[in-house]
Amino acid sequence: MLLQLFSLFKGVGMLFSIGCLVYLFVGKNAVLKQRLLLPFFVVSSAQVVGTAYFTQGLIVALVMAAIAAFISQLFMRTLKICQPCGRIVNDYRGNVPDVCPSCQTSVNRDGVASVSV
């Protein structure tokens, strides 16, 4: 029963995760992108941890939960979104430029991206 419930969650969660990823790269609304980051990481991490639990067991799932939490908070701290145009300004190495490549406004490099629930 629990495996069937998780399979349903994983199917719906995959649709949500794919939709969030598409919107993060295509969407223009910076505020909505920042609001979607936390639910995206929570759902994606729950899928990874659940899959690890049902395939490898509890110990591996706990280790994966710790790794997923670390990676999620690392990405949320380093990801920068341009407020006027909504573009993700990090390059493929994670460096943040001084100005946005698309709208040429200065990028706020201080602090953490504000994520509200």
Side-chain angles (χ1 to χ4, degrees):
M1 174 71 180
L2 188 60
L3 181 60
Q4 293 170 342
L5 187 62
F6 176 70
S7 296
L8 177 66
F9 168 74
K10 189 167 182 175
V12 173
M14 290 285 277
L15 291 174
F16 177 76
S17 296
I18 291 170
C20 283
L21 274 177
V22 167
Y23 190 77
L24 283 174
F25 288 105
V26 176
K28 303 285 185 204
N29 189 348
V31 175
L32 184 58
K33 282 184 179 184
Q34 289 175 341
R35 288 186 181 171
L36 280 177
L37 281 178
L38 184 62
F40 168 71
F41 283 123
V42 168
V43 170
S44 299
S45 298
Q47 291 173 1
V48 169
V49 170
T51 302
Y53 175 74
F54 284 113
T55 59
Q56 300 295 323
L58 181 62
I59 301 299
V60 174
L62 292 174
V63 170
M64 291 302 292
I67 291 171
F70 174 73
I71 290 173
S72 296
Q73 73 92 8
L74 182 70
F75 275 122
M76 288 182 69
R77 287 184 181 270
T78 58
L79 189 70
K80 297 294 181 192
I81 299 173
C82 178
Q83 293 299 321
C85 70
R87 182 174 180 202
I88 297 173
V89 295
N90 298 68
D91 64 2
Y92 66 94
R93 286 178 272 156
N95 298 330
V96 179
D98 293 330
V99 295
C100 176
S102 66
C103 68
Q104 303 301 321
T105 59
S106 65
V107 177
N108 184 11
R109 304 178 110 203
D110 299 331
V112 178
S114 63
V115 176
S116 59
V117 179

